[in-house]
Amino acid sequence: MKKTGFYITLFIVCIYCIGPFLWQMISSVKPSSELTKLPPVLPHTLTFNHYISVFQGHPFGRIIANSFVVSMISTVFSLTFGSLSAFGLSKLNIKGKGLIFAFVLSISMFPPIATVSPLYLVIRALGLRDTWWALIITYTTFTLPMSIWILSSFFREIPDELYRAAKVDGCSAFQIFYKIFLPLAGPGIFATAILVFIFSWNEFLYALTFTSTTASRTIPVGIALFPGLHEMPWGDIAAASVVVTLPLIILVLIFQRRIIEGLAAGAIKG
Amino acid sequence: MTEITFEKITKHFDRVKVIQDLNLTVNKGEFFTFVGPSGCGKSTILNMLAGLEDVTSGTIFFDDMPVNDLSPKDRDVAMVFQSYALYPHMTVYDNIAFPLKMKKQQNVSLDTEVHRVASLLSLDDLLKRKPRELSGGQRQRVALGRAIIRKPKVFLMDEPLSNLDARLRVEMRAELKKLHNKLKITTIYVTHDQAEAMSLSDRIAVLYNGTIQQCGTPREVYIKPKNIMVAGFIGSPPMNFVPASVQKSAPLEVICNEMIFSPSIEILPENTNLVIGIRPEDVLISFEKSAGSIEVTVSLIESAGSFNWIDVMWHRIKVKGVSQIDERLQTGGTAFMKFPLDKVIIFDKETERRM
């Protein structure tokens, strides 16, 4: 009995989580005429027209490239600054560490909508509107608290004696960081990288505000701007969503265990 | 070889005084041990020597050079840690080579040096392994290798044997001693294990509450402990203490648990409270009565193989002593205790100092 209950719950949760995505996948291969039919089951004839039209009717290749570059560079920046600060805050003697940590955390509590207009003014003043850099800078700042918190919990788990041993062996603080701590915190770096990448890949609000052309437009905004004046191209939207979600899902499934490890370490120690 | 001098060293953590007014000279090439219970400040001394902690006041000299402001890197010290602190992501080879790589000396061949150290510590077959694939004793040897490869001025060891099992500890103790005889590098060793301190060191300093209680050769500290703390800490099993007092001032008569004797110490006023210390190995317990023996009750018999440790009740005071293997000695039975009066150490109860 207990077991049946467990499997029923498991089934409901799975459907709840995967359902929308499945629906989206099914929609992406349905002919347009059948799109609004319920229940959303596979049609008799599969069509890949939506996929073709996504790449032919829109500059979708460019948009994917934008997203990819922005997410990659943001991830690299966030990890570079994040790991350095996390190392300093968890292992070096710094006055007011607790205060700095609290401050870092408080930054991540700002709702994005509250900061979007001031940031827009800053970006415009810097002449960065509609460039990759507008998004890279914003994403880096917004993911830094997360990077710092997760990574410092990883660094804190590395025994102090290693730090002291390396110091006696003749390392400077920076050498200790990149020769000893960075390799040892590998799983943490990895988990953080994926989380930052996903955040940047999916971010919508800033991308919508700071971009205006395909020069810098990212995927979520690109898809949101699919609807024309008189029609709602559900099929195209579904196909585009599948195209950009699949890589993430594959990435997460492959590195699942590491991400959980990373998140759990942050959760328990943080 | 380097001489180390501590001059009026104090160390405070916030308002807690960890080390108070430490004055000490460690001779060139000496094996010197700080021994004391945990929390007595011995590891802090090592960290100050290594440059991992600042001193609050005072000066540390290596030979004639003050090193207070030098970073660990410039002090040319090597340290072995209790947890070994091997770099888990590096092979044994890389672990040993690491300090030398950091030093970036051009004229020495890294590879030759690593192999020289590895064969000195019989690690040749393990060079390609990672630390997690090694046993405790092997890790310990790698940690030693990492420390000696640079030929440092000073060798610091922070309880390096306390994570090993008892048998391995004794083995490694001998290895350490041999290594020191071979290398003759000034070594500062820290331990809470008095047996380790006694067997390894040229000199030891017994540390308690941040001050040196006594400093001398192991033998001196054992035979002439300066106070009750040192007497109780050095020697295993620990010394027996029995309260006593001065019954008559001249000639001096001390009454100790209803036993009266006249020790040859300075004249004391009557009713001065004393503590009598006697080492268990000097207390002989036997079944048969002999001249001058005291009747006691056996409360515990522990076998040590060739002899027995016996706890006896001497009136209401527990005393530990030794006996030959004797079937007639039984828990709860009667026995006779005897100890040479010249082995007795007398302390003042107030000051806890030896008379």
Side-chain angles (χ1 to χ4, degrees), chain B residues 181-210:
Chain B
N181 287 338
K182 207 180 282 180
L183 301 172
K184 289 282 173 221
I185 295 173
T186 312
T187 303
I188 310 278
Y189 193 96
V190 153
T191 181
H192 65 270
D193 181 346
Q194 56 86 29
E196 213 170 280
M198 299 279 282
S199 68
L200 276 170
S201 330
D202 296 321
R203 279 196 303 154
I204 65 179
V206 182
L207 210 62
Y208 186 65
N209 275 344

PDB file of all heavy atoms in Angstrom, chain B residues 181-210:
ATOM      1  N   ASN B 181      68.675  12.515  13.531  1.00  0.00           N
ATOM      2  CA  ASN B 181      70.120  12.266  13.690  1.00  0.00           C
ATOM      3  C   ASN B 181      70.854  12.421  12.379  1.00  0.00           C
ATOM      4  O   ASN B 181      71.996  12.856  12.341  1.00  0.00           O
ATOM      5  CB  ASN B 181      70.353  10.862  14.251  1.00  0.00           C
ATOM      6  CG  ASN B 181      69.986  10.792  15.717  1.00  0.00           C
ATOM      7  OD1 ASN B 181      69.963  11.832  16.392  1.00  0.00           O
ATOM      8  ND2 ASN B 181      69.686   9.612  16.201  1.00  0.00           N
ATOM      9  N   LYS B 182      70.166  12.055  11.286  1.00  0.00           N
ATOM     10  CA  LYS B 182      70.801  12.126   9.982  1.00  0.00           C
ATOM     11  C   LYS B 182      70.868  13.558   9.466  1.00  0.00           C
ATOM     12  O   LYS B 182      71.874  14.008   8.938  1.00  0.00           O
ATOM     13  CB  LYS B 182      70.001  11.259   8.994  1.00  0.00           C
ATOM     14  CG  LYS B 182      70.842  10.732   7.854  1.00  0.00           C
ATOM     15  CD  LYS B 182      70.007   9.887   6.911  1.00  0.00           C
ATOM     16  CE  LYS B 182      69.745   8.484   7.438  1.00  0.00           C
ATOM     17  NZ  LYS B 182      68.932   7.685   6.522  1.00  0.00           N
ATOM     18  N   LEU B 183      69.780  14.284   9.629  1.00  0.00           N
ATOM     19  CA  LEU B 183      69.691  15.613   9.011  1.00  0.00           C
ATOM     20  C   LEU B 183      70.197  16.733   9.915  1.00  0.00           C
ATOM     21  O   LEU B 183      70.618  17.776   9.433  1.00  0.00           O
ATOM     22  CB  LEU B 183      68.238  15.923   8.608  1.00  0.00           C
ATOM     23  CG  LEU B 183      67.600  14.940   7.627  1.00  0.00           C
ATOM     24  CD1 LEU B 183      66.120  15.245   7.479  1.00  0.00           C
ATOM     25  CD2 LEU B 183      68.283  14.999   6.273  1.00  0.00           C
ATOM     26  N   LYS B 184      70.072  16.538  11.216  1.00  0.00           N
ATOM     27  CA  LYS B 184      70.559  17.531  12.186  1.00  0.00           C
ATOM     28  C   LYS B 184      69.931  18.907  11.982  1.00  0.00           C
ATOM     29  O   LYS B 184      70.602  19.931  12.121  1.00  0.00           O
ATOM     30  CB  LYS B 184      72.084  17.652  12.104  1.00  0.00           C
ATOM     31  CG  LYS B 184      72.823  16.444  12.638  1.00  0.00           C
ATOM     32  CD  LYS B 184      72.859  16.455  14.141  1.00  0.00           C
ATOM     33  CE  LYS B 184      73.435  15.178  14.711  1.00  0.00           C
ATOM     34  NZ  LYS B 184      72.714  14.694  15.875  1.00  0.00           N
ATOM     35  N   ILE B 185      68.664  18.936  11.595  1.00  0.00           N
ATOM     36  CA  ILE B 185      67.975  20.220  11.448  1.00  0.00           C
ATOM     37  C   ILE B 185      67.284  20.532  12.771  1.00  0.00           C
ATOM     38  O   ILE B 185      66.695  19.646  13.387  1.00  0.00           O
ATOM     39  CB  ILE B 185      66.937  20.153  10.307  1.00  0.00           C
ATOM     40  CG1 ILE B 185      67.652  19.941   8.972  1.00  0.00           C
ATOM     41  CG2 ILE B 185      66.066  21.383  10.272  1.00  0.00           C
ATOM     42  CD1 ILE B 185      66.727  19.688   7.808  1.00  0.00           C
ATOM     43  N   THR B 186      67.400  21.785  13.189  1.00  0.00           N
ATOM     44  CA  THR B 186      66.725  22.196  14.417  1.00  0.00           C
ATOM     45  C   THR B 186      65.231  21.868  14.298  1.00  0.00           C
ATOM     46  O   THR B 186      64.580  22.284  13.348  1.00  0.00           O
ATOM     47  CB  THR B 186      66.879  23.712  14.636  1.00  0.00           C
ATOM     48  OG1 THR B 186      68.240  24.043  14.454  1.00  0.00           O
ATOM     49  CG2 THR B 186      66.399  24.116  16.008  1.00  0.00           C
ATOM     50  N   THR B 187      64.713  21.120  15.259  1.00  0.00           N
ATOM     51  CA  THR B 187      63.346  20.648  15.152  1.00  0.00           C
ATOM     52  C   THR B 187      62.536  21.080  16.364  1.00  0.00           C
ATOM     53  O   THR B 187      62.970  20.889  17.496  1.00  0.00           O
ATOM     54  CB  THR B 187      63.304  19.114  15.047  1.00  0.00           C
ATOM     55  OG1 THR B 187      64.100  18.718  13.928  1.00  0.00           O
ATOM     56  CG2 THR B 187      61.902  18.602  14.866  1.00  0.00           C
ATOM     57  N   ILE B 188      61.390  21.665  16.101  1.00  0.00           N
ATOM     58  CA  ILE B 188      60.472  22.002  17.186  1.00  0.00           C
ATOM     59  C   ILE B 188      59.270  21.095  17.032  1.00  0.00           C
ATOM     60  O   ILE B 188      58.629  21.052  15.988  1.00  0.00           O
ATOM     61  CB  ILE B 188      59.982  23.464  17.114  1.00  0.00           C
ATOM     62  CG1 ILE B 188      61.150  24.414  16.947  1.00  0.00           C
ATOM     63  CG2 ILE B 188      59.128  23.795  18.322  1.00  0.00           C
ATOM     64  CD1 ILE B 188      61.853  24.750  18.203  1.00  0.00           C
ATOM     65  N   TYR B 189      58.994  20.374  18.089  1.00  0.00           N
ATOM     66  CA  TYR B 189      57.977  19.343  18.039  1.00  0.00           C
ATOM     67  C   TYR B 189      56.924  19.687  19.080  1.00  0.00           C
ATOM     68  O   TYR B 189      57.242  20.154  20.162  1.00  0.00           O
ATOM     69  CB  TYR B 189      58.663  18.023  18.386  1.00  0.00           C
ATOM     70  CG  TYR B 189      57.886  16.773  18.117  1.00  0.00           C
ATOM     71  CD1 TYR B 189      58.072  16.066  16.945  1.00  0.00           C
ATOM     72  CD2 TYR B 189      56.997  16.280  19.059  1.00  0.00           C
ATOM     73  CE1 TYR B 189      57.383  14.893  16.705  1.00  0.00           C
ATOM     74  CE2 TYR B 189      56.294  15.111  18.822  1.00  0.00           C
ATOM     75  CZ  TYR B 189      56.502  14.413  17.641  1.00  0.00           C
ATOM     76  OH  TYR B 189      55.813  13.256  17.405  1.00  0.00           O
ATOM     77  N   VAL B 190      55.683  19.458  18.721  1.00  0.00           N
ATOM     78  CA  VAL B 190      54.609  19.755  19.657  1.00  0.00           C
ATOM     79  C   VAL B 190      53.784  18.503  19.849  1.00  0.00           C
ATOM     80  O   VAL B 190      53.441  17.823  18.883  1.00  0.00           O
ATOM     81  CB  VAL B 190      53.734  20.895  19.098  1.00  0.00           C
ATOM     82  CG1 VAL B 190      52.328  20.803  19.617  1.00  0.00           C
ATOM     83  CG2 VAL B 190      54.340  22.240  19.424  1.00  0.00           C
ATOM     84  N   THR B 191      53.493  18.163  21.097  1.00  0.00           N
ATOM     85  CA  THR B 191      52.682  16.977  21.342  1.00  0.00           C
ATOM     86  C   THR B 191      51.989  17.082  22.690  1.00  0.00           C
ATOM     87  O   THR B 191      52.403  17.845  23.555  1.00  0.00           O
ATOM     88  CB  THR B 191      53.532  15.693  21.292  1.00  0.00           C
ATOM     89  OG1 THR B 191      52.688  14.571  21.508  1.00  0.00           O
ATOM     90  CG2 THR B 191      54.627  15.702  22.326  1.00  0.00           C
ATOM     91  N   HIS B 192      50.897  16.320  22.842  1.00  0.00           N
ATOM     92  CA  HIS B 192      50.297  16.236  24.172  1.00  0.00           C
ATOM     93  C   HIS B 192      50.685  14.909  24.817  1.00  0.00           C
ATOM     94  O   HIS B 192      50.325  14.628  25.945  1.00  0.00           O
ATOM     95  CB  HIS B 192      48.778  16.353  24.074  1.00  0.00           C
ATOM     96  CG  HIS B 192      48.155  15.214  23.334  1.00  0.00           C
ATOM     97  ND1 HIS B 192      47.953  15.253  21.970  1.00  0.00           N
ATOM     98  CD2 HIS B 192      47.733  14.009  23.748  1.00  0.00           C
ATOM     99  CE1 HIS B 192      47.420  14.097  21.585  1.00  0.00           C
ATOM    100  NE2 HIS B 192      47.286  13.334  22.633  1.00  0.00           N
ATOM    101  N   ASP B 193      51.430  14.097  24.044  1.00  0.00           N
ATOM    102  CA  ASP B 193      51.781  12.763  24.521  1.00  0.00           C
ATOM    103  C   ASP B 193      53.149  12.820  25.188  1.00  0.00           C
ATOM    104  O   ASP B 193      54.174  12.949  24.528  1.00  0.00           O
ATOM    105  CB  ASP B 193      51.795  11.818  23.307  1.00  0.00           C
ATOM    106  CG  ASP B 193      52.123  10.394  23.700  1.00  0.00           C
ATOM    107  OD1 ASP B 193      52.590  10.186  24.841  1.00  0.00           O
ATOM    108  OD2 ASP B 193      51.933   9.501  22.867  1.00  0.00           O
ATOM    109  N   GLN B 194      53.153  12.722  26.499  1.00  0.00           N
ATOM    110  CA  GLN B 194      54.416  12.915  27.211  1.00  0.00           C
ATOM    111  C   GLN B 194      55.435  11.815  26.895  1.00  0.00           C
ATOM    112  O   GLN B 194      56.632  12.064  26.848  1.00  0.00           O
ATOM    113  CB  GLN B 194      54.173  13.055  28.718  1.00  0.00           C
ATOM    114  CG  GLN B 194      53.413  11.912  29.365  1.00  0.00           C
ATOM    115  CD  GLN B 194      54.306  10.787  29.771  1.00  0.00           C
ATOM    116  OE1 GLN B 194      55.479  11.012  30.069  1.00  0.00           O
ATOM    117  NE2 GLN B 194      53.776   9.585  29.810  1.00  0.00           N
ATOM    118  N   ALA B 195      54.926  10.600  26.608  1.00  0.00           N
ATOM    119  CA  ALA B 195      55.849   9.501  26.301  1.00  0.00           C
ATOM    120  C   ALA B 195      56.617   9.813  25.016  1.00  0.00           C
ATOM    121  O   ALA B 195      57.828   9.578  24.910  1.00  0.00           O
ATOM    122  CB  ALA B 195      55.081   8.189  26.156  1.00  0.00           C
ATOM    123  N   GLU B 196      55.887  10.375  24.035  1.00  0.00           N
ATOM    124  CA  GLU B 196      56.495  10.764  22.769  1.00  0.00           C
ATOM    125  C   GLU B 196      57.556  11.833  23.016  1.00  0.00           C
ATOM    126  O   GLU B 196      58.668  11.764  22.504  1.00  0.00           O
ATOM    127  CB  GLU B 196      55.386  11.336  21.894  1.00  0.00           C
ATOM    128  CG  GLU B 196      55.514  11.101  20.428  1.00  0.00           C
ATOM    129  CD  GLU B 196      54.219  11.513  19.750  1.00  0.00           C
ATOM    130  OE1 GLU B 196      53.280  10.709  19.787  1.00  0.00           O
ATOM    131  OE2 GLU B 196      54.141  12.641  19.232  1.00  0.00           O
ATOM    132  N   ALA B 197      57.193  12.809  23.823  1.00  0.00           N
ATOM    133  CA  ALA B 197      58.114  13.900  24.123  1.00  0.00           C
ATOM    134  C   ALA B 197      59.373  13.375  24.790  1.00  0.00           C
ATOM    135  O   ALA B 197      60.498  13.733  24.435  1.00  0.00           O
ATOM    136  CB  ALA B 197      57.435  14.927  25.021  1.00  0.00           C
ATOM    137  N   MET B 198      59.189  12.468  25.767  1.00  0.00           N
ATOM    138  CA  MET B 198      60.321  11.943  26.516  1.00  0.00           C
ATOM    139  C   MET B 198      61.267  11.174  25.598  1.00  0.00           C
ATOM    140  O   MET B 198      62.478  11.308  25.682  1.00  0.00           O
ATOM    141  CB  MET B 198      59.832  10.988  27.611  1.00  0.00           C
ATOM    142  CG  MET B 198      58.920  11.610  28.621  1.00  0.00           C
ATOM    143  SD  MET B 198      59.786  12.516  29.889  1.00  0.00           S
ATOM    144  CE  MET B 198      60.368  11.202  30.914  1.00  0.00           C
ATOM    145  N   SER B 199      60.687  10.348  24.717  1.00  0.00           N
ATOM    146  CA  SER B 199      61.552   9.449  23.959  1.00  0.00           C
ATOM    147  C   SER B 199      62.241  10.157  22.790  1.00  0.00           C
ATOM    148  O   SER B 199      63.288   9.720  22.343  1.00  0.00           O
ATOM    149  CB  SER B 199      60.744   8.252  23.451  1.00  0.00           C
ATOM    150  OG  SER B 199      59.833   8.689  22.478  1.00  0.00           O
ATOM    151  N   LEU B 200      61.674  11.237  22.289  1.00  0.00           N
ATOM    152  CA  LEU B 200      62.231  11.865  21.093  1.00  0.00           C
ATOM    153  C   LEU B 200      63.232  12.980  21.381  1.00  0.00           C
ATOM    154  O   LEU B 200      64.176  13.181  20.636  1.00  0.00           O
ATOM    155  CB  LEU B 200      61.097  12.462  20.254  1.00  0.00           C
ATOM    156  CG  LEU B 200      60.345  11.561  19.304  1.00  0.00           C
ATOM    157  CD1 LEU B 200      59.137  12.290  18.775  1.00  0.00           C
ATOM    158  CD2 LEU B 200      61.233  11.115  18.159  1.00  0.00           C
ATOM    159  N   SER B 201      62.994  13.706  22.452  1.00  0.00           N
ATOM    160  CA  SER B 201      63.583  15.042  22.536  1.00  0.00           C
ATOM    161  C   SER B 201      64.938  15.097  23.210  1.00  0.00           C
ATOM    162  O   SER B 201      65.250  14.289  24.077  1.00  0.00           O
ATOM    163  CB  SER B 201      62.655  15.965  23.318  1.00  0.00           C
ATOM    164  OG  SER B 201      61.335  15.574  23.136  1.00  0.00           O
ATOM    165  N   ASP B 202      65.716  16.099  22.775  1.00  0.00           N
ATOM    166  CA  ASP B 202      66.906  16.469  23.529  1.00  0.00           C
ATOM    167  C   ASP B 202      66.482  17.231  24.772  1.00  0.00           C
ATOM    168  O   ASP B 202      66.973  17.005  25.861  1.00  0.00           O
ATOM    169  CB  ASP B 202      67.817  17.347  22.670  1.00  0.00           C
ATOM    170  CG  ASP B 202      68.328  16.594  21.460  1.00  0.00           C
ATOM    171  OD1 ASP B 202      68.634  15.400  21.622  1.00  0.00           O
ATOM    172  OD2 ASP B 202      68.401  17.178  20.372  1.00  0.00           O
ATOM    173  N   ARG B 203      65.562  18.186  24.561  1.00  0.00           N
ATOM    174  CA  ARG B 203      65.015  18.917  25.703  1.00  0.00           C
ATOM    175  C   ARG B 203      63.519  19.063  25.515  1.00  0.00           C
ATOM    176  O   ARG B 203      63.029  19.083  24.386  1.00  0.00           O
ATOM    177  CB  ARG B 203      65.637  20.318  25.800  1.00  0.00           C
ATOM    178  CG  ARG B 203      67.017  20.305  26.469  1.00  0.00           C
ATOM    179  CD  ARG B 203      67.416  21.697  26.890  1.00  0.00           C
ATOM    180  NE  ARG B 203      67.407  22.616  25.764  1.00  0.00           N
ATOM    181  CZ  ARG B 203      67.216  23.931  25.910  1.00  0.00           C
ATOM    182  NH1 ARG B 203      66.997  24.457  27.093  1.00  0.00           N
ATOM    183  NH2 ARG B 203      67.232  24.707  24.843  1.00  0.00           N
ATOM    184  N   ILE B 204      62.793  19.183  26.627  1.00  0.00           N
ATOM    185  CA  ILE B 204      61.364  19.429  26.511  1.00  0.00           C
ATOM    186  C   ILE B 204      60.978  20.636  27.357  1.00  0.00           C
ATOM    187  O   ILE B 204      61.692  21.005  28.304  1.00  0.00           O
ATOM    188  CB  ILE B 204      60.514  18.213  26.947  1.00  0.00           C
ATOM    189  CG1 ILE B 204      60.697  17.911  28.431  1.00  0.00           C
ATOM    190  CG2 ILE B 204      60.844  16.993  26.147  1.00  0.00           C
ATOM    191  CD1 ILE B 204      59.852  16.735  28.889  1.00  0.00           C
ATOM    192  N   ALA B 205      59.889  21.277  26.973  1.00  0.00           N
ATOM    193  CA  ALA B 205      59.318  22.341  27.782  1.00  0.00           C
ATOM    194  C   ALA B 205      57.880  21.949  28.070  1.00  0.00           C
ATOM    195  O   ALA B 205      57.119  21.663  27.156  1.00  0.00           O
ATOM    196  CB  ALA B 205      59.362  23.668  27.046  1.00  0.00           C
ATOM    197  N   VAL B 206      57.540  21.898  29.351  1.00  0.00           N
ATOM    198  CA  VAL B 206      56.169  21.562  29.707  1.00  0.00           C
ATOM    199  C   VAL B 206      55.383  22.856  29.774  1.00  0.00           C
ATOM    200  O   VAL B 206      55.749  23.793  30.483  1.00  0.00           O
ATOM    201  CB  VAL B 206      56.108  20.821  31.061  1.00  0.00           C
ATOM    202  CG1 VAL B 206      54.667  20.446  31.376  1.00  0.00           C
ATOM    203  CG2 VAL B 206      56.984  19.591  31.028  1.00  0.00           C
ATOM    204  N   LEU B 207      54.326  22.902  28.978  1.00  0.00           N
ATOM    205  CA  LEU B 207      53.568  24.138  28.814  1.00  0.00           C
ATOM    206  C   LEU B 207      52.206  23.954  29.457  1.00  0.00           C
ATOM    207  O   LEU B 207      51.560  22.931  29.292  1.00  0.00           O
ATOM    208  CB  LEU B 207      53.412  24.394  27.319  1.00  0.00           C
ATOM    209  CG  LEU B 207      53.306  25.806  26.820  1.00  0.00           C
ATOM    210  CD1 LEU B 207      54.579  26.558  27.173  1.00  0.00           C
ATOM    211  CD2 LEU B 207      53.114  25.801  25.312  1.00  0.00           C
ATOM    212  N   TYR B 208      51.792  24.961  30.213  1.00  0.00           N
ATOM    213  CA  TYR B 208      50.462  24.911  30.794  1.00  0.00           C
ATOM    214  C   TYR B 208      49.943  26.326  30.910  1.00  0.00           C
ATOM    215  O   TYR B 208      50.663  27.205  31.400  1.00  0.00           O
ATOM    216  CB  TYR B 208      50.509  24.216  32.162  1.00  0.00           C
ATOM    217  CG  TYR B 208      49.148  23.990  32.770  1.00  0.00           C
ATOM    218  CD1 TYR B 208      48.233  23.139  32.166  1.00  0.00           C
ATOM    219  CD2 TYR B 208      48.790  24.632  33.950  1.00  0.00           C
ATOM    220  CE1 TYR B 208      46.987  22.936  32.718  1.00  0.00           C
ATOM    221  CE2 TYR B 208      47.542  24.430  34.514  1.00  0.00           C
ATOM    222  CZ  TYR B 208      46.641  23.577  33.899  1.00  0.00           C
ATOM    223  OH  TYR B 208      45.403  23.382  34.435  1.00  0.00           O
ATOM    224  N   ASN B 209      48.715  26.545  30.454  1.00  0.00           N
ATOM    225  CA  ASN B 209      48.119  27.884  30.507  1.00  0.00           C
ATOM    226  C   ASN B 209      49.005  28.965  29.907  1.00  0.00           C
ATOM    227  O   ASN B 209      49.093  30.073  30.432  1.00  0.00           O
ATOM    228  CB  ASN B 209      47.801  28.266  31.955  1.00  0.00           C
ATOM    229  CG  ASN B 209      46.450  27.712  32.371  1.00  0.00           C
ATOM    230  OD1 ASN B 209      45.658  27.317  31.513  1.00  0.00           O
ATOM    231  ND2 ASN B 209      46.210  27.682  33.663  1.00  0.00           N
ATOM    232  N   GLY B 210      49.713  28.652  28.847  1.00  0.00           N
ATOM    233  CA  GLY B 210      50.478  29.675  28.149  1.00  0.00           C
ATOM    234  C   GLY B 210      51.806  30.032  28.767  1.00  0.00           C
ATOM    235  O   GLY B 210      52.459  30.962  28.310  1.00  0.00           O
TER     236      GLY B 210
END
